[in-house]
Amino acid sequence: MQFSVSVKPITMQRNQFKAIILISTFLLFALSSNAQVLFTIDGEDVEVDEFKRMYEKSQVDDDDKYTKESVKEYVDLYIRYKLKLKEASDLGIDEDPEVLREIAMYEDQLVRNEFDKNVMNDLVEEAKTRLQEEICMRHILIDIPGRYKGTADTIYSYNQAVKVRDQLLNGNNFEELAKKTSRDMETKFIGGDLGCFTTLQLKNYQLENAAYKLRKGQISMPIRTSLGYHIIEVTDRRGSNGLVSATQLFIRSNNTLPAEEQAQARLVINEARTKLNAGEEFSDVAAWLREQEDLESSVDNIPEFMVGSYEAAFENAIFDLRKVDDVSAPIKTSLGWHIFKLNSKRDLPTFEQMESNIRDKIMEDDRYAKARLKFGEEIKRAYDYEKVDSVVNKFARNVAPGISIEGWQTPSGFNYNQPFFKIGDRLYTARQFVTYVKDEHSLEKFRDFETFYNNFETMKLMDYHKHNLVETDPEMKALMKEFRDGIILFNMMEQEFWQSETVDESVLASFYNNNKESYRKPDVVRFKTYSTPSNKAANKVSELLNKGKSDNSIRKLEKKFKTGIAIGSTEMNIEDAVDQFGKKVDEPNSITKSKGEGQHIVMVTQGVQQGDYKPFESVKQKVQADYQDALEKEWMQELKEKYAVEINESVYQSLHQ
């Protein structure tokens, strides 16, 4: 189809075109490794391996691969693509600071994607497995006093933890020992109980890992976390309880209440249970409980939840109910007395439904930071990494104090040009580290020195890895160039081609009128129809029509076949008719058979009526797209005249099968 055009360019939606450009770039770019030249643009070579890589990525159907037609199509496409990049280079767009910043951002994203592939996916798989199981656990925490932190004397706390473990192995009661020795004030007085959980619910990844490795009833060795040393015992391992909801009868009765009030609460909750056992409706007992004015009580709906949402006794009492409307015995928790009625019980959503949320939780969890550090250690082993401990330790002693506080100032007596570490031939100095910390402070991120240092080191390791990948990994180099060329091309099109945000509607209307034939509705074919429930009768109708017989002759078939033959008319879009019948139906007196709703229909073409023009308003979006295509064709012609394109015919011909 040819379009006439003589008006100024327009801009489509920025993100829409950016996506088109980037996707097109993925299909078009390839890394060159062969010196054979396929074509040149103004003397710049485009090698055949580059084209072949692009071409093979683009081809879905192997049957069409390297045919004369498909090769010609993609050579033309690739020449147009290279002409645009040549124009972008001559305009200096590939050196524009904003473009370079955008390229750097995408390169960073590529490295993060590699990190995700190598590390994040392992964490996701781990979470997928662990979600199928619930762990119940208790612990004893032996803290590391401030005077020992960061020194070899932490062995003192470790030895204390080992002693506690030995006492447990020798039969001492866990709850009593926790109350006596644990430094976790939240769980100390309930025997160290951490409740039940599944993956990503504990605050500490090290404890989760340890718990999932222990058998039920097993006591762990001391586990070091930032809080100190933990001795843990797994009290239960079970399959997932899924999601449940319930209604509760509740009477507040905690240890702060007087003994007589606690006794009264227990008496009333047992009376409620007696009523339920006698067959009274749960709703009636709930109404009775609300009338007990001497007690703080309530009847509450508990929305759907999974393990790790409440304390273990609360959750387990509901999980133990098997059928909807089952009612529990009275249960005592730290808050008081409960009786539960099960409202619903179902499995967890599929992992695919949960995966996005799981990934978000991993990103927020300390396991992600640990995975980054692990990835950094792998990079260290891959490259020539060396840490200057003397400088880092001196900085920690003399400069780092106060680093986690807003307004931290660096003293003047330190030589900030000294290197913290080197990777390959690159040095990373104390000054660079200070700049990094100041930037983090400006984002209201305040951490201790060790965390700041680890994050800075990992960031630089990954940055070095990114640049090294470009030189050592052909696939990554190709991918980065795809992004680079796509961003350059998009920015060039935006700056030089899509020059205005909108186009005057009168311009589009003019374009529509000049190319109106492209916006017709499909032609309509009219049929005379003969409809009958008898297939034999329909076949005879078709035979008589082919012989040129009249409708009177056809009417006589009704008596012979003892069935009615309805004569009528219909019309269809010719495109739909061809699709439905699989043949041309636009020739006069063409006879076609079809079937529908228990009827056999013989259709005779009566004629074809040309489709009307589609109204401008109904096709305005397509007109705008066609208008843009027409502008680009004109522009491409200008580029072909501006830059000399020479095809190496012998290489080109060798690509054909």
Side-chain angles (χ1 to χ4, degrees):
M1 176 188 337
Q2 295 295 320
F3 291 105
S4 62
V5 59
S6 57
V7 284
K8 293 182 180 179
I10 60 170
T11 298
M12 305 293 281
Q13 290 293 325
R14 188 180 199 274
N15 288 341
Q16 176 187 359
F17 272 110
K18 192 168 192 176
I20 292 169
I21 290 297
L22 289 176
I23 292 169
S24 299
T25 304
F26 278 125
L27 296 176
L28 289 172
F29 175 73
L31 180 65
S32 173
S33 63
N34 191 303
Q36 266 195 315
V37 175
L38 179 59
F39 61 85
T40 62
I41 295 180
D42 256 22
E44 296 181 10
D45 294 341
V46 177
E47 296 172 359
V48 71
D49 273 7
E50 178 179 338
F51 169 79
K52 288 172 69 175
R53 183 186 177 99
M54 168 277 293
Y55 175 81
E56 290 175 5
K57 286 176 67 175
S58 305
Q59 288 294 99
V60 176
D61 189 348
D62 286 340
D63 292 339
D64 292 334
K65 197 172 286 186
Y66 291 110
T67 62
K68 184 175 181 179
E69 293 76 14
S70 68
V71 168
K72 181 182 184 305
E73 178 184 352
Y74 278 92
V75 167
D76 291 344
L77 178 66
Y78 204 52
I79 286 173
R80 294 199 298 271
Y81 172 71
K82 286 293 189 178
L83 282 168
K84 292 176 185 178
L85 285 175
K86 173 65 175 172
E87 178 75 351
S89 178
D90 283 4
L91 292 170
I93 291 171
D94 55 348
E95 297 177 357
D96 184 303
E98 286 298 321
V99 174
L100 293 176
R101 272 193 287 273
E102 190 170 1
I103 289 170
M105 180 188 72
Y106 275 97
E107 288 179 343
D108 287 342
Q109 182 62 51
L110 283 175
V111 174
R112 284 195 293 273
N113 289 345
E114 190 205 21
F115 169 76
D116 187 75
K117 178 181 71 177
N118 287 294
V119 180
M120 172 67 89
N121 287 350
D122 290 342
L123 294 175
V124 171
E125 280 300 310
E126 177 184 79
K128 181 178 181 179
T129 301
R130 290 183 177 180
L131 271 172
Q132 307 308 309
E133 191 174 19
E134 297 172 358
I135 305 287
C136 300
M137 184 174 79
R138 53 188 177 182
H139 83 140
I140 295 171
L141 172 64
I142 306 299
D143 70 346
I144 303 174
R147 66 182 180 277
Y148 298 132
K149 285 185 178 178
T151 74
D153 289 332
T154 53
I155 195 67
Y156 169 81
S157 296
Y158 176 81
N159 288 335
Q160 292 298 109
V162 170
K163 289 179 182 178
V164 169
R165 180 177 187 270
D166 289 341
Q167 292 178 60
L168 292 170
L169 295 178
N170 288 329
N172 284 45
N173 182 277
F174 197 106
E175 290 186 23
E176 294 302 318
L177 205 53
K179 291 174 182 178
K180 186 184 301 183
T181 62
S182 182
R183 300 298 296 171
D184 179 4
M185 294 300 116
E186 291 185 14
T187 66
K188 177 183 181 74
F189 300 108
I190 56 173
D193 187 17
L194 289 169
C196 302
F197 61 91
T198 188
T199 188
L200 291 161
Q201 291 184 326
L202 280 182
K203 294 179 181 178
N204 191 286
Y205 183 47
Q206 291 155 281
L207 290 184
E208 179 187 312
N209 274 338
Y212 271 95
K213 292 174 183 176
L214 292 175
R215 300 184 304 277
K216 180 179 177 179
Q218 189 175 1
I219 305 294
S220 73
M221 288 294 292
I223 302 161
R224 173 73 188 273
T225 72
S226 59
L227 299 175
Y229 287 100
H230 305 254
I231 307 299
I232 66 173
E233 179 188 8
V234 170
T235 57
D236 195 15
R237 295 188 69 140
R238 64 198 187 200
S240 171
N241 277 290
L243 295 163
V244 295
S245 67
T247 301
Q248 72 164 347
L249 308 179
F250 171 67
I251 302 175
R252 184 170 299 282
S253 178
N254 56 38
N255 293 332
T256 63
L257 294 178
E260 59 270 20
E261 290 187 27
Q262 294 186 50
Q264 177 66 9
R266 181 170 184 171
L267 183 67
V268 171
I269 201 71
N270 283 327
E271 187 174 351
R273 181 58 185 175
T274 299
K275 290 176 178 291
L276 291 167
N277 287 341
E280 292 191 35
E281 293 292 330
F282 194 90
S283 57
D284 293 336
V285 178
W288 169 80
L289 182 63
R290 290 190 184 99
E291 296 171 357
Q292 308 306 304
E293 298 179 356
D294 294 339
L295 297 169
E296 185 180 346
S297 63
S298 63
V299 179
D300 310 295
N301 283 321
I302 302 163
E304 195 172 61
F305 69 91
M306 65 183 293
V307 71
S309 303
Y310 303 99
E311 65 177 273
F314 184 101
E315 292 181 342
N316 291 339
I318 300 174
F319 288 147
D320 286 343
L321 300 173
R322 293 302 165 200
K323 300 192 301 295
V324 170
D325 293 333
D326 279 359
V327 177
S328 74
I331 302 297
K332 183 71 165 65
T333 71
S334 60
L335 297 177
W337 288 98
H338 314 254
I339 293 177
F340 300 107
K341 178 170 76 76
L342 185 66
N343 292 337
S344 69
K345 191 181 189 79
R346 66 186 179 96
D347 292 338
L348 291 176
T350 66
F351 186 78
E352 287 69 27
Q353 293 171 316
M354 300 172 65
E355 184 171 358
S356 177
N357 186 46
I358 292 294
R359 285 181 177 271
D360 289 343
K361 286 186 174 182
I362 288 173
M363 291 285 288
E364 297 166 2
D365 191 79
D366 67 343
R367 71 193 64 199
Y368 182 74
K370 287 178 170 57
R372 283 180 63 92
L373 289 174
K374 178 184 175 184
F375 190 55
E377 292 300 318
E378 293 175 1
I379 296 174
K380 288 178 185 179
R381 289 191 291 272
Y383 305 116
D384 184 16
Y385 166 86
E386 183 179 339
K387 181 179 177 182
V388 186
D389 288 303
S390 59
V391 176
V392 175
N393 292 339
K394 185 177 180 182
F395 186 100
R397 289 193 306 270
N398 300 337
V399 183
I403 199 170
S404 62
I405 301 171
E406 187 174 5
W408 171 66
Q409 297 296 318
T410 55
S412 58
F414 191 86
N415 180 3
Y416 293 97
N417 292 321
Q418 296 178 94
F420 270 11
F421 54 88
K422 79 176 187 71
I423 311 171
D425 57 357
R426 296 188 187 183
L427 296 176
Y428 299 89
T429 65
R431 189 176 305 282
Q432 290 172 285
F433 175 73
V434 169
T435 300
Y436 164 75
V437 173
K438 296 286 188 182
D439 289 342
E440 292 289 280
H441 280 189
S442 70
L443 299 173
E444 298 186 354
K445 296 179 180 178
F446 303 99
R447 303 181 172 94
D448 59 34
F449 171 71
E450 183 179 5
T451 303
F452 271 134
Y453 176 82
N454 287 336
N455 288 349
F456 173 73
E457 182 185 70
T458 302
M459 179 181 71
K460 295 304 181 184
L461 284 164
M462 292 184 70
D463 183 61
Y464 186 89
H465 183 51
K466 175 187 74 175
H467 291 290
N468 188 75
L469 278 176
V470 175
E471 302 305 321
T472 61
D473 186 332
E475 291 297 325
M476 182 61 72
K477 186 173 184 178
L479 196 56
M480 284 189 175
K481 192 172 190 309
E482 288 174 8
F483 274 111
R484 180 182 182 279
D485 287 350
I487 292 165
I488 291 169
L489 182 55
F490 170 79
N491 279 274
M492 188 267 293
M493 298 288 281
E494 185 175 55
Q495 293 176 29
E496 302 298 322
F497 191 58
W498 306 318
Q499 294 175 356
S500 60
E501 289 297 325
T502 59
V503 64
D504 192 287
E505 192 164 296
S506 64
V507 173
L508 290 179
S510 175
F511 181 82
Y512 165 81
N513 288 324
N514 290 338
N515 301 280
K516 207 168 182 180
E517 290 301 316
S518 301
Y519 306 108
R520 276 191 183 277
K521 295 178 181 178
D523 293 344
V524 174
V525 58
R526 296 189 304 275
F527 297 99
K528 187 173 184 178
T529 61
Y530 301 83
S531 179
T532 174
S534 169
N535 184 40
K536 289 183 179 180
N539 288 336
K540 192 63 178 177
V541 169
S542 181
E543 180 184 328
L544 292 177
L545 288 171
N546 276 313
K547 292 178 179 179
K549 299 296 182 179
S550 67
D551 286 352
N552 287 334
S553 298
I554 290 171
R555 286 290 187 195
K556 293 177 182 178
L557 297 175
E558 291 182 316
K559 185 175 181 180
K560 178 180 179 180
F561 289 98
K562 298 180 181 180
T563 185
I565 299 175
I567 301 175
S569 63
T570 190
E571 60 182 35
M572 296 175 66
N573 286 346
I574 195 166
E575 294 174 0
D576 295 339
V578 171
D579 285 344
Q580 180 173 333
F581 303 124
K583 65 178 183 177
K584 290 192 67 174
V585 293
D586 56 346
E587 295 179 3
N589 299 317
S590 175
I591 298 173
T592 303
K593 279 189 65 180
S594 68
K595 185 177 180 181
E597 298 183 1
Q599 294 289 308
H600 298 271
I601 305 168
V602 180
M603 307 174 69
V604 183
T605 301
Q606 299 290 290
V608 176
Q609 179 180 333
Q610 190 176 38
D612 296 331
Y613 293 117
K614 298 176 183 177
F616 171 69
E617 286 298 326
S618 71
V619 293
K620 188 174 3 178
Q621 188 171 1
K622 185 177 187 312
V623 171
Q624 182 163 311
D626 291 342
Y627 174 77
Q628 186 73 44
D629 288 343
L631 288 174
E632 187 166 345
K633 286 178 182 177
E634 288 191 357
W635 179 55
M636 287 307 306
Q637 186 58 41
E638 292 174 5
L639 293 183
K640 288 178 181 179
E641 293 171 2
K642 181 177 180 180
Y643 302 112
V645 178
E646 295 184 14
I647 297 177
N648 186 332
E649 284 295 332
S650 62
V651 175
Y652 172 64
Q653 295 296 332
S654 71
L655 291 171
H656 301 169
Q657 284 184 343

